[in-house]
Amino acid sequence: MTILTLIRAGLILGAVIFVIMLLLAWRKNRHQESETRVWPIVAVGGFASFCDTLGVGSFAIMTSCYKQFKLVDDEYLPGTLNCQSVLTSVAESLIFLTAVKVDPTTLIALVLSACLGTTIGAKIVAGWDRQLIRIVMSVALLIVAALLLAGQLKLFPLGGATLGLTGWKLVAGIIGNFVFGALMTVGIGLYAPCMTIIYLLGMNPLAAFPIMMCSGAFLSFFSAGSFLVLNRVNTRASLAVAIVGPIGVIIAAFLVKSMNMQVLAWLVTFVVIYTSFTMYLSWKKDRQITPIS
């Protein structure tokens, strides 16, 4: 049995356990959630899953739409978002594990480092100032975007065609993903930083997809499971996106697999710029509502 087979088995087993937990929770809460407007949630969730597969992320899209149209109560929003991302992440992982032949050692090392970063690193970053992290990451990603743009304009060589890391590059990737996993606990997404470091270390941009998707999938099992146990989830909304999300994933994955390397590099650049901008907006918004002492 190969390492990739074990990863696929772990993803499928985790998905089955999650679906059972979600169905049991829905059976318990279905009457009190009968007023939930499913079709708008399906539309938002399908589109967000499509964007998530491109590396843009889905939480920001779903959060803004849910709040704007009052689709999910704020009290249940974090748990609902986490549950809605599970099957989407699993579908993304299974598709890209098959489509992209990433070096197994690199894949396992970076996925494990992100998971360890979320569990162990969370204790380290828990006391950090979220606003400071946001503005630092926003500026850092903007600088990286400038480097990516310069590379695209052939001002200096950047990126590569390899599907694995060795030596100091592998160590750098492990450390980077550990940090990014830890930062997820304070609301900093994994996708854009992960895509960036993989590209900067000379790998094929496509290699980022199975790495970041598998990281997100395994992390989502634990986060979503915790919210279900606490019963802090709109299960009707979660089931709706659990069904439609993988459809959006399949459509987007087909587009990604058909892109050439140059188009993928531009996609990475766009994702990094977009993430930098959204982090700045989050920092600015919280800065305005926080009273100055």
Side-chain angles (χ1 to χ4, degrees):
M1 184 176 290
T2 65
I3 293 176
L4 292 181
T5 302
L6 287 174
I7 293 175
R8 293 189 184 99
L11 289 167
I12 294 171
L13 177 61
V16 170
I17 294 173
F18 165 76
V19 169
I20 292 172
M21 292 179 66
L22 180 59
L23 288 173
L24 290 174
W26 169 77
R27 184 179 179 183
K28 176 183 177 181
N29 299 327
R30 65 183 186 276
H31 296 300
Q32 64 193 61
E33 294 173 352
S34 59
E35 298 300 318
T36 300
R37 292 178 287 162
V38 172
W39 290 113
I41 290 173
V42 164
V44 172
F47 176 70
S49 298
F50 176 89
C51 294
D52 191 74
T53 311
L54 297 179
V56 177
S58 59
F59 276 24
I61 296 170
M62 290 193 290
T63 299
S64 59
C65 290
Y66 291 167
K67 285 180 173 290
Q68 178 69 30
F69 300 108
K70 297 180 172 58
L71 297 175
V72 177
D73 192 294
D74 285 353
E75 181 182 358
Y76 298 103
L77 188 56
T80 302
L81 291 174
N82 274 271
C83 285
Q84 288 177 333
S85 71
V86 174
L87 295 189
T88 295
S89 298
V90 171
E92 291 168 344
S93 301
L94 293 174
I95 289 172
F96 283 111
L97 279 174
T98 302
V100 185
K101 305 303 180 183
V102 180
D103 171 55
T105 301
T106 302
L107 177 66
I108 290 292
L110 296 190
V111 170
L112 284 178
S113 63
C115 294
L116 287 173
T118 304
T119 53
I120 300 174
K123 299 177 182 178
I124 301 173
V125 303
W128 292 5
D129 182 74
R130 180 175 299 189
Q131 283 293 82
L132 179 61
I133 294 174
R134 280 175 175 166
I135 193 63
V136 169
M137 286 292 293
S138 176
V139 173
L141 287 175
L142 193 60
I143 294 171
V144 168
L147 293 175
L148 295 176
L149 189 59
Q152 285 298 96
L153 297 175
K154 309 300 182 183
L155 299 180
F156 61 87
L158 194 65
T162 63
L163 294 173
L165 297 172
T166 57
W168 71 266
K169 289 186 176 182
L170 180 58
V171 174
I174 290 172
I175 295 173
N177 246 28
F178 179 87
V179 173
F180 303 148
L183 291 177
M184 283 184 67
T185 62
V186 291
I188 306 299
L190 174 75
Y191 283 6
C194 182
M195 293 176 78
T196 299
I197 195 170
I198 285 174
Y199 191 51
L200 291 178
L201 289 173
M203 291 182 70
N204 186 321
L206 197 58
F209 287 87
I211 292 172
M212 63 188 186
M213 300 310 181
C214 285
S215 300
F218 282 109
L219 292 173
S220 70
F221 292 147
F222 297 100
S223 59
S226 298
F227 281 111
L228 284 172
V229 169
L230 295 171
N231 199 28
R232 310 295 288 180
V233 176
N234 185 314
T235 57
R236 187 180 175 90
S238 298
L239 272 175
V241 177
I243 295 170
V244 75
I247 299 174
V249 168
I250 292 171
I251 297 171
F254 175 79
L255 292 177
V256 172
K257 288 190 294 182
S258 63
M259 291 179 184
N260 61 40
M261 280 187 58
Q262 188 165 5
V263 175
L264 275 172
W266 278 112
L267 174 62
V268 173
T269 305
F270 165 75
V271 170
V272 172
I273 294 173
Y274 170 81
T275 306
S276 172
F277 181 66
T278 55
M279 281 188 185
Y280 170 75
L281 291 181
S282 297
W283 171 82
K284 184 178 179 181
K285 179 181 178 181
D286 281 4
R287 185 169 180 261
Q288 290 173 340
I289 64 177
T290 302
I292 301 175
S293 54

